[in-house]
Amino acid sequence: MGKTDELVGVVDGTATAVAAPPVPTAVLRPRPRPGRRPVTVALVAAAAVGTVVLLLTGTGWLDRPAVQAWRTVCLAIAVQALPFLLLGTVLSGAINAFVPADLFTRILPKRAALAVPVAGMAGAVLPGCECASVPVANSLIRRGVTPAAAFAFLLSAPAINPVVLTATAVAFPGNPAMVAARLLASLATAAVMGWLWLCFGKEKWLRPAVRHTGHQHGHSRWTEFRHGFQYDFLHAGGFLVLGAMAAATFNVAVPRSVLDTFSGSPWLAVPFLAGLAVLLAVCSEADAFVAASLTGFSPTARLTFMVVGPMVDLKLIALQAGTFGRAFALRFSAATTVVAVAASVLVGGGLL
């Protein structure tokens, strides 16, 4: 048979050779990489470029003290989180390209209810903040890990890793109870949220970013790593910038005298610091020092600040919305806030 494939058919009992229809040219072209979403990437890249210009330009009204303070806070949040975002996207790309697809499903318990606390405790091995945990959790879901376990990891990783606990011990010298309280309250929140997703989560709420995961035949694993890293970093980095802008706006606009008003009321101090943690969006490696400086508030209120912040803040909500969808981010963030506050009050009341 020649280069042109032929099909053999039977017409009126006589074998005939029928030329196969030519393959359309479009089929022979390389398929576009899933999940590129040119519009989304363009938007977040434009936001990032615009912010850099705004931060670095020093002319006209941008030289006013309030705007300069906004630029400083925004740049500080973004720069503080960027190394950990880089770490998370590197890990995500490595998982995507080099880790066997069934590794995580083999390691975690088969029962989802048991996989949740195991994944939560596994968060201790990732020395990063919430910016790093989102792309890693997305890769875990794509590799077959149940979303409940991936979300438990997402919440616990920035809150109970050794770097954060060491920073907490340094910020609260001679107070090991605060370190233990942060560990227990954060781990409890992660496990409860995983179990709540198992019971009440709906697939239609979850819209993960669609892209290929795992090694493709005919492609270098390093090429797969590079593609996955580039996509995750551009996608998550743009939303990080937007979250940092929102946090900086609140930080500059709200007068410091408001802190004194709420610190005098034990009933208002806890929800106020929980809301402050969401809005300030301080990286989990640094939030213990901010909490330690809030000396007018009770230990339980400061514990709430440290538990809520790494799990729910503006930049994390933006990252979750960009990765999993707005419907998921709004519901998950609201529920996490309630559970984190309850866990902080219960653990803080018993240990602090």
Side-chain angles (χ1 to χ4, degrees), residues 77-126:
I77 292 175
V79 170
Q80 185 183 52
L82 189 60
F84 301 103
L85 176 62
L86 180 63
L87 171 64
T89 50
V90 168
L91 287 175
S92 176
I95 290 172
N96 176 63
F98 300 109
V99 177
D102 60 345
L103 175 64
F104 300 103
T105 55
R106 293 201 313 262
I107 294 177
L108 291 174
K110 299 300 181 183
R111 295 183 59 183
L114 295 178
V116 167
V118 173
M121 289 184 287
V125 303
L126 178 64

CSV table of all heavy atoms in Angstrom, one decimal, residues 77-126:
chain,number,residue,atom,x,y,z
A,77,ILE,N,3.6,44.4,50.3
A,77,ILE,CA,2.8,43.2,50.3
A,77,ILE,C,3.1,42.3,49.2
A,77,ILE,O,3.3,41.1,49.3
A,77,ILE,CB,1.3,43.5,50.3
A,77,ILE,CG1,0.9,44.2,51.6
A,77,ILE,CG2,0.4,42.3,50.1
A,77,ILE,CD1,-0.6,44.7,51.6
A,78,ALA,N,3.3,42.9,48.0
A,78,ALA,CA,3.6,42.2,46.8
A,78,ALA,C,5.0,41.6,46.9
A,78,ALA,O,5.2,40.4,46.6
A,78,ALA,CB,3.4,43.0,45.5
A,79,VAL,N,5.9,42.3,47.3
A,79,VAL,CA,7.3,41.8,47.4
A,79,VAL,C,7.4,40.8,48.4
A,79,VAL,O,8.2,39.8,48.3
A,79,VAL,CB,8.3,43.0,47.6
A,79,VAL,CG1,9.7,42.5,47.9
A,79,VAL,CG2,8.3,43.9,46.4
A,80,GLN,N,6.7,41.0,49.6
A,80,GLN,CA,6.8,40.0,50.6
A,80,GLN,C,6.2,38.7,50.2
A,80,GLN,O,6.7,37.6,50.6
A,80,GLN,CB,6.0,40.6,51.8
A,80,GLN,CG,6.1,39.7,53.1
A,80,GLN,CD,5.2,40.3,54.2
A,80,GLN,OE1,4.0,40.6,54.0
A,80,GLN,NE2,5.8,40.5,55.3
A,81,ALA,N,5.2,38.7,49.4
A,81,ALA,CA,4.5,37.4,49.0
A,81,ALA,C,5.1,36.8,47.8
A,81,ALA,O,5.0,35.6,47.6
A,81,ALA,CB,3.0,37.7,48.8
A,82,LEU,N,5.8,37.6,47.0
A,82,LEU,CA,6.3,37.1,45.7
A,82,LEU,C,7.2,35.9,45.8
A,82,LEU,O,7.1,34.9,45.0
A,82,LEU,CB,7.0,38.2,44.9
A,82,LEU,CG,7.4,37.9,43.5
A,82,LEU,CD1,6.2,37.6,42.7
A,82,LEU,CD2,8.1,39.1,42.9
A,83,PRO,N,8.2,35.9,46.7
A,83,PRO,CA,9.1,34.7,46.8
A,83,PRO,C,8.3,33.4,47.1
A,83,PRO,O,8.6,32.3,46.6
A,83,PRO,CB,10.0,35.0,48.0
A,83,PRO,CG,10.0,36.5,48.0
A,83,PRO,CD,8.6,36.9,47.7
A,84,PHE,N,7.2,33.5,47.9
A,84,PHE,CA,6.5,32.3,48.3
A,84,PHE,C,5.5,31.9,47.1
A,84,PHE,O,5.2,30.7,46.9
A,84,PHE,CB,5.7,32.6,49.6
A,84,PHE,CG,6.6,32.9,50.7
A,84,PHE,CD1,6.8,34.2,51.2
A,84,PHE,CD2,7.4,31.9,51.3
A,84,PHE,CE1,7.6,34.5,52.2
A,84,PHE,CE2,8.3,32.2,52.4
A,84,PHE,CZ,8.4,33.5,52.8
A,85,LEU,N,5.1,32.9,46.4
A,85,LEU,CA,4.3,32.6,45.2
A,85,LEU,C,5.2,31.9,44.2
A,85,LEU,O,4.7,30.9,43.5
A,85,LEU,CB,3.7,33.9,44.6
A,85,LEU,CG,3.0,33.7,43.3
A,85,LEU,CD1,1.7,32.9,43.5
A,85,LEU,CD2,2.6,35.1,42.7
A,86,LEU,N,6.4,32.4,44.1
A,86,LEU,CA,7.4,31.7,43.2
A,86,LEU,C,7.6,30.3,43.6
A,86,LEU,O,7.6,29.3,42.8
A,86,LEU,CB,8.7,32.5,43.1
A,86,LEU,CG,9.8,32.0,42.2
A,86,LEU,CD1,9.3,32.0,40.8
A,86,LEU,CD2,11.1,32.8,42.4
A,87,LEU,N,7.8,30.1,44.9
A,87,LEU,CA,8.0,28.7,45.4
A,87,LEU,C,6.8,27.8,45.1
A,87,LEU,O,6.9,26.7,44.7
A,87,LEU,CB,8.2,28.8,47.0
A,87,LEU,CG,8.2,27.4,47.7
A,87,LEU,CD1,9.4,26.6,47.2
A,87,LEU,CD2,8.2,27.6,49.2
A,88,GLY,N,5.6,28.4,45.3
A,88,GLY,CA,4.4,27.6,45.1
A,88,GLY,C,4.2,27.2,43.6
A,88,GLY,O,3.8,26.1,43.3
A,89,THR,N,4.5,28.1,42.7
A,89,THR,CA,4.3,27.8,41.3
A,89,THR,C,5.4,26.9,40.8
A,89,THR,O,5.2,26.1,39.9
A,89,THR,CB,4.4,29.1,40.4
A,89,THR,OG1,5.5,29.9,40.8
A,89,THR,CG2,3.1,29.9,40.7
A,90,VAL,N,6.6,27.0,41.4
A,90,VAL,CA,7.7,26.0,41.1
A,90,VAL,C,7.2,24.6,41.5
A,90,VAL,O,7.4,23.6,40.7
A,90,VAL,CB,9.0,26.4,41.7
A,90,VAL,CG1,10.0,25.2,41.6
A,90,VAL,CG2,9.6,27.6,41.0
A,91,LEU,N,6.7,24.5,42.7
A,91,LEU,CA,6.2,23.2,43.2
A,91,LEU,C,5.1,22.7,42.3
A,91,LEU,O,5.0,21.5,42.0
A,91,LEU,CB,5.8,23.3,44.7
A,91,LEU,CG,6.9,23.4,45.7
A,91,LEU,CD1,6.3,23.7,47.1
A,91,LEU,CD2,7.8,22.2,45.7
A,92,SER,N,4.2,23.6,42.0
A,92,SER,CA,3.1,23.2,41.1
A,92,SER,C,3.6,22.6,39.8
A,92,SER,O,3.1,21.6,39.3
A,92,SER,CB,2.1,24.4,40.9
A,92,SER,OG,1.1,24.0,40.0
A,93,GLY,N,4.5,23.4,39.2
A,93,GLY,CA,5.0,22.9,37.9
A,93,GLY,C,5.8,21.6,38.0
A,93,GLY,O,5.7,20.7,37.1
A,94,ALA,N,6.5,21.4,39.1
A,94,ALA,CA,7.2,20.1,39.3
A,94,ALA,C,6.3,19.0,39.5
A,94,ALA,O,6.5,17.9,39.0
A,94,ALA,CB,8.2,20.3,40.5
A,95,ILE,N,5.2,19.2,40.3
A,95,ILE,CA,4.2,18.2,40.5
A,95,ILE,C,3.5,17.8,39.2
A,95,ILE,O,3.3,16.6,38.8
A,95,ILE,CB,3.1,18.6,41.5
A,95,ILE,CG1,3.7,18.7,42.9
A,95,ILE,CG2,1.9,17.7,41.5
A,95,ILE,CD1,2.8,19.4,43.9
A,96,ASN,N,3.3,18.8,38.4
A,96,ASN,CA,2.6,18.6,37.1
A,96,ASN,C,3.5,17.8,36.1
A,96,ASN,O,3.0,16.9,35.4
A,96,ASN,CB,2.3,20.0,36.4
A,96,ASN,CG,1.7,19.8,35.1
A,96,ASN,OD1,0.6,19.3,34.9
A,96,ASN,ND2,2.4,20.3,34.1
A,97,ALA,N,4.8,18.0,36.1
A,97,ALA,CA,5.6,17.4,35.1
A,97,ALA,C,6.3,16.1,35.6
A,97,ALA,O,6.6,15.2,34.8
A,97,ALA,CB,6.7,18.4,34.7
A,98,PHE,N,6.7,16.1,36.8
A,98,PHE,CA,7.6,15.0,37.3
A,98,PHE,C,7.0,13.9,38.2
A,98,PHE,O,7.5,12.8,38.3
A,98,PHE,CB,8.8,15.6,38.0
A,98,PHE,CG,9.6,16.5,37.1
A,98,PHE,CD1,9.6,17.9,37.4
A,98,PHE,CD2,10.4,16.0,36.1
A,98,PHE,CE1,10.4,18.7,36.6
A,98,PHE,CE2,11.1,16.9,35.3
A,98,PHE,CZ,11.1,18.2,35.5
A,99,VAL,N,5.9,14.3,38.9
A,99,VAL,CA,5.3,13.4,39.9
A,99,VAL,C,4.3,12.5,39.2
A,99,VAL,O,3.5,13.0,38.5
A,99,VAL,CB,4.6,14.2,41.0
A,99,VAL,CG1,4.0,13.2,42.0
A,99,VAL,CG2,5.7,15.0,41.8
A,100,PRO,N,4.4,11.2,39.4
A,100,PRO,CA,3.4,10.3,38.9
A,100,PRO,C,2.0,10.6,39.2
A,100,PRO,O,1.8,11.1,40.4
A,100,PRO,CB,3.8,8.9,39.4
A,100,PRO,CG,5.3,9.0,39.8
A,100,PRO,CD,5.5,10.5,40.2
A,101,ALA,N,1.1,10.5,38.3
A,101,ALA,CA,-0.3,10.9,38.5
A,101,ALA,C,-0.9,10.3,39.7
A,101,ALA,O,-1.8,10.9,40.3
A,101,ALA,CB,-1.1,10.7,37.2
A,102,ASP,N,-0.6,9.0,40.0
A,102,ASP,CA,-1.3,8.4,41.1
A,102,ASP,C,-0.6,8.4,42.4
A,102,ASP,O,-1.0,7.7,43.3
A,102,ASP,CB,-1.6,6.9,40.7
A,102,ASP,CG,-0.3,6.1,40.4
A,102,ASP,OD1,0.8,6.8,40.2
A,102,ASP,OD2,-0.3,4.9,40.3
A,103,LEU,N,0.5,9.1,42.5
A,103,LEU,CA,1.3,9.1,43.8
A,103,LEU,C,0.5,9.6,44.9
A,103,LEU,O,0.4,8.9,46.0
A,103,LEU,CB,2.5,10.0,43.6
A,103,LEU,CG,3.4,10.1,44.9
A,103,LEU,CD1,4.0,8.8,45.3
A,103,LEU,CD2,4.5,11.2,44.7
A,104,PHE,N,-0.2,10.7,44.8
A,104,PHE,CA,-0.9,11.3,45.9
A,104,PHE,C,-2.1,10.4,46.3
A,104,PHE,O,-2.5,10.3,47.5
A,104,PHE,CB,-1.4,12.7,45.6
A,104,PHE,CG,-0.2,13.6,45.3
A,104,PHE,CD1,0.1,14.0,44.0
A,104,PHE,CD2,0.6,14.1,46.3
A,104,PHE,CE1,1.2,14.8,43.8
A,104,PHE,CE2,1.7,14.9,46.1
A,104,PHE,CZ,2.0,15.3,44.8
A,105,THR,N,-2.8,9.9,45.4
A,105,THR,CA,-3.9,9.0,45.7
A,105,THR,C,-3.5,7.7,46.4
A,105,THR,O,-4.2,7.1,47.1
A,105,THR,CB,-4.7,8.6,44.4
A,105,THR,OG1,-3.8,8.1,43.4
A,105,THR,CG2,-5.3,9.9,43.8
A,106,ARG,N,-2.2,7.3,46.1
A,106,ARG,CA,-1.7,6.1,46.8
A,106,ARG,C,-1.3,6.5,48.3
A,106,ARG,O,-1.4,5.6,49.2
A,106,ARG,CB,-0.4,5.6,46.1
A,106,ARG,CG,-0.8,5.0,44.7
A,106,ARG,CD,0.3,4.0,44.3
A,106,ARG,NE,1.7,4.5,44.5
A,106,ARG,CZ,2.4,5.1,43.5
A,106,ARG,NH1,1.9,5.3,42.3
A,106,ARG,NH2,3.6,5.6,43.7
A,107,ILE,N,-0.7,7.7,48.5
A,107,ILE,CA,-0.2,8.0,49.8
A,107,ILE,C,-1.4,8.3,50.7
A,107,ILE,O,-1.4,7.9,51.9
A,107,ILE,CB,0.7,9.2,49.7
A,107,ILE,CG1,2.0,8.9,48.9
A,107,ILE,CG2,1.0,9.8,51.1
A,107,ILE,CD1,2.9,10.0,48.7
A,108,LEU,N,-2.4,9.1,50.3
A,108,LEU,CA,-3.5,9.5,51.2
A,108,LEU,C,-4.4,8.3,51.4
A,108,LEU,O,-4.5,7.4,50.6
A,108,LEU,CB,-4.3,10.6,50.5
A,108,LEU,CG,-3.5,12.0,50.4
A,108,LEU,CD1,-4.4,13.0,49.6
A,108,LEU,CD2,-3.2,12.5,51.8
A,109,PRO,N,-5.0,8.3,52.6
A,109,PRO,CA,-6.0,7.2,52.8
A,109,PRO,C,-7.1,7.2,51.8
A,109,PRO,O,-7.5,8.2,51.2
A,109,PRO,CB,-6.6,7.6,54.2
A,109,PRO,CG,-5.5,8.5,54.9
A,109,PRO,CD,-4.9,9.2,53.7
A,110,LYS,N,-7.6,6.0,51.6
A,110,LYS,CA,-8.7,5.9,50.5
A,110,LYS,C,-10.0,6.6,51.0
A,110,LYS,O,-10.7,7.1,50.1
A,110,LYS,CB,-9.0,4.4,50.3
A,110,LYS,CG,-7.8,3.6,49.8
A,110,LYS,CD,-7.2,4.2,48.5
A,110,LYS,CE,-6.0,3.4,48.0
A,110,LYS,NZ,-5.5,3.9,46.7
A,111,ARG,N,-10.3,6.5,52.2
A,111,ARG,CA,-11.5,7.2,52.7
A,111,ARG,C,-11.2,8.7,52.8
A,111,ARG,O,-10.3,9.2,53.4
A,111,ARG,CB,-11.9,6.7,54.1
A,111,ARG,CG,-12.3,5.2,54.1
A,111,ARG,CD,-12.7,4.8,55.5
A,111,ARG,NE,-13.9,5.6,55.9
A,111,ARG,CZ,-14.4,5.4,57.1
A,111,ARG,NH1,-13.9,4.5,58.0
A,111,ARG,NH2,-15.5,6.2,57.5
A,112,ALA,N,-12.1,9.5,52.1
A,112,ALA,CA,-11.9,10.9,52.0
A,112,ALA,C,-11.9,11.6,53.4
A,112,ALA,O,-11.2,12.5,53.7
A,112,ALA,CB,-13.0,11.5,51.1
A,113,ALA,N,-12.8,11.0,54.3
A,113,ALA,CA,-12.8,11.6,55.7
A,113,ALA,C,-11.5,11.5,56.4
A,113,ALA,O,-11.2,12.4,57.2
A,113,ALA,CB,-14.0,10.9,56.5
A,114,LEU,N,-10.8,10.5,56.2
A,114,LEU,CA,-9.4,10.3,56.8
A,114,LEU,C,-8.4,11.1,56.0
A,114,LEU,O,-7.4,11.5,56.6
A,114,LEU,CB,-9.1,8.8,56.9
A,114,LEU,CG,-9.9,8.0,57.8
A,114,LEU,CD1,-9.5,6.5,57.7
A,114,LEU,CD2,-9.9,8.5,59.2
A,115,ALA,N,-8.5,11.2,54.7
A,115,ALA,CA,-7.6,11.9,53.9
A,115,ALA,C,-7.5,13.4,54.3
A,115,ALA,O,-6.5,14.0,54.1
A,115,ALA,CB,-7.9,11.8,52.4
A,116,VAL,N,-8.6,13.9,54.7
A,116,VAL,CA,-8.6,15.4,55.1
A,116,VAL,C,-7.7,15.7,56.2
A,116,VAL,O,-6.8,16.6,56.0
A,116,VAL,CB,-10.1,15.8,55.4
A,116,VAL,CG1,-10.1,17.2,56.1
A,116,VAL,CG2,-11.0,15.8,54.2
A,117,PRO,N,-7.7,15.1,57.4
A,117,PRO,CA,-6.8,15.5,58.4
A,117,PRO,C,-5.3,15.2,58.0
A,117,PRO,O,-4.4,15.9,58.4
A,117,PRO,CB,-7.2,14.7,59.6
A,117,PRO,CG,-8.0,13.6,59.1
A,117,PRO,CD,-8.7,14.1,57.9
A,118,VAL,N,-5.1,14.1,57.3
A,118,VAL,CA,-3.7,13.7,56.9
A,118,VAL,C,-3.2,14.8,55.9
A,118,VAL,O,-2.0,15.2,56.1
A,118,VAL,CB,-3.7,12.3,56.1
A,118,VAL,CG1,-2.4,12.1,55.5
A,118,VAL,CG2,-4.1,11.2,57.1
A,119,ALA,N,-4.0,15.3,55.0
A,119,ALA,CA,-3.6,16.4,54.1
A,119,ALA,C,-3.3,17.6,54.9
A,119,ALA,O,-2.4,18.4,54.6
A,119,ALA,CB,-4.6,16.6,53.0
A,120,GLY,N,-4.2,17.9,55.9
A,120,GLY,CA,-4.0,19.1,56.7
A,120,GLY,C,-2.7,19.0,57.5
A,120,GLY,O,-1.9,20.0,57.5
A,121,MET,N,-2.3,17.9,58.0
A,121,MET,CA,-1.0,17.8,58.7
A,121,MET,C,0.2,17.8,57.7
A,121,MET,O,1.3,18.3,58.1
A,121,MET,CB,-1.0,16.5,59.5
A,121,MET,CG,-1.9,16.5,60.7
A,121,MET,SD,-1.8,15.0,61.8
A,121,MET,CE,-2.6,13.8,60.7
A,122,ALA,N,-0.1,17.4,56.5
A,122,ALA,CA,1.0,17.4,55.5
A,122,ALA,C,1.3,18.9,55.1
A,122,ALA,O,2.4,19.1,54.5
A,122,ALA,CB,0.6,16.7,54.2
A,123,GLY,N,0.4,19.8,55.4
A,123,GLY,CA,0.7,21.2,55.1
A,123,GLY,C,1.9,21.8,55.9
A,123,GLY,O,2.5,22.8,55.5
A,124,ALA,N,2.3,21.0,56.9
A,124,ALA,CA,3.5,21.5,57.7
A,124,ALA,C,4.8,21.4,56.9
A,124,ALA,O,5.8,22.0,57.3
A,124,ALA,CB,3.6,20.7,59.0
A,125,VAL,N,4.8,20.7,55.8
A,125,VAL,CA,6.1,20.5,55.1
A,125,VAL,C,6.3,21.6,54.1
A,125,VAL,O,7.4,21.7,53.5
A,125,VAL,CB,6.1,19.2,54.4
A,125,VAL,CG1,5.9,18.1,55.4
A,125,VAL,CG2,5.1,19.1,53.3
A,126,LEU,N,5.4,22.5,53.8
A,126,LEU,CA,5.5,23.5,52.8
A,126,LEU,C,5.9,24.9,53.5
A,126,LEU,O,5.0,25.5,54.1
A,126,LEU,CB,4.3,23.7,51.9
A,126,LEU,CG,4.3,24.8,50.9
A,126,LEU,CD1,5.4,24.5,49.8
A,126,LEU,CD2,3.0,25.0,50.2
